[in-house]
Amino acid sequence: MYVRQDHRFTDVDAQYALIEDHALGAWVIHSEDGLVANHVPFLLERSRGPHGTLVGHVARANPVWRALDTATASLVMFQGPQSYITPSWYPGKAEHGKVVPTWDYAVVHAHGVARAIEDPAWLMDMLERLTNANEAAQPAPWRVKDAPADYIDKLLRAIVGIEIPIARLEGKLKASQDEAVRDRLGTVEGLRGLLRPKAAMADLVLTALEGERKGQP
């Protein structure tokens, strides 16, 4: 991934947080038939391995798991907040007109080698932890054990686990860093006037700006 110096996003805890907050990863491998992409909700195990481990599952009918071997590299892309940025938000538009639109976003790419897991006990443990993580915010969280055991056993036979020890993490935070400060603050105000998903991008623009200010002498 091309990353300019001012767009580098290397804070590992922040990268982990983005993965956990946007857990649906775009998982890509190269098979005999070319590139294969799947969208998989992953659970991040931060403490397993030097860079963490991703676990999830796919349908047994999905041929992707049969294409995995120790030489098959995986790339999982996690898309964080993103938004189109209109120059109409920039004070510079009225002052000199030398402004153009852009797109701000935050992404994390996880590289590793995936393996398929069919062990029922592993699958059950993964499903329980994945479910608990995603149900945590619910008033009455659903648990796997809430469903009949024979029903869950039937579903377990229809999936295959995926485990990807992360060998390398890449992050990119494009948050209007190359714009004038007043225009960046205009972007924050404009984004916060939109729906909440866009306000999340406003928070990233402001955080990047404040981080640069703290680093200045």
Side-chain angles (χ1 to χ4, degrees):
M1 175 171 59
Y2 170 68
V3 183
R4 267 178 26 182
Q5 182 67 26
D6 54 349
H7 295 159
R8 294 181 69 225
F9 178 33
T10 58
D11 184 310
V12 175
D13 286 335
Q15 291 176 338
Y16 284 165
L18 185 147
I19 291 173
E20 290 166 343
D21 290 342
H22 304 272
L24 183 66
W27 173 36
V28 180
I29 70 165
H30 193 280
S31 73
E32 293 181 353
D33 298 322
L35 294 177
V36 177
N38 286 272
H39 296 268
V40 178
F42 283 101
L43 179 70
L44 172 64
E45 299 179 344
R46 293 191 180 204
S47 60
R48 282 190 61 203
H51 304 289
T53 299
L54 297 171
V55 296
H57 66 281
V58 296
R60 181 170 290 275
N62 187 334
V64 66
W65 66 275
R66 298 184 187 276
L68 301 177
D69 58 39
T70 56
T72 302
S74 284
L75 167 64
V76 187
M77 295 170 281
F78 295 93
Q79 173 72 65
Q82 55 81 28
S83 182
Y84 171 79
I85 307 300
T86 172
S88 298
W89 292 333
Y90 299 167
K93 176 178 180 291
E95 295 172 0
H96 49 70
K98 297 178 181 178
V99 294
V100 293
T102 191
W103 207 288
D104 281 353
Y105 55 90
V107 293
V108 173
H109 292 183
H111 298 260
V113 175
R115 72 182 184 107
I117 301 176
E118 300 181 77
D119 177 60
W122 188 98
L123 288 169
M124 178 63 79
D125 176 69
M126 178 273 299
L127 286 177
E128 288 178 341
R129 291 187 295 118
L130 181 64
T131 299
N132 292 346
N134 287 284
E135 286 283 332
Q138 297 299 319
W142 182 86
R143 298 286 184 251
V144 173
K145 66 181 181 181
D146 292 343
D150 59 342
Y151 177 69
I152 295 298
D153 288 342
K154 178 181 177 181
L155 294 181
L156 281 178
R157 293 193 293 273
I159 65 172
V160 174
I162 301 296
E163 180 179 80
I164 308 175
I166 300 172
R168 179 165 57 95
L169 282 169
E170 288 183 300
K172 182 173 182 177
L173 174 59
K174 185 176 179 296
S176 298
Q177 292 97 324
D178 53 346
E179 304 296 341
V181 170
R182 291 182 63 221
D183 290 345
R184 293 167 76 176
L185 292 174
T187 294
V188 172
E189 183 177 354
L191 286 167
R192 285 185 169 162
L194 302 177
L195 298 177
R196 181 60 214 173
K198 303 301 183 182
M201 190 68 237
D203 292 341
L204 283 179
V205 173
L206 188 58
T207 298
L209 175 58
E210 291 175 344
E212 289 173 17
R213 285 175 169 172
K214 289 178 181 177
Q216 292 175 352

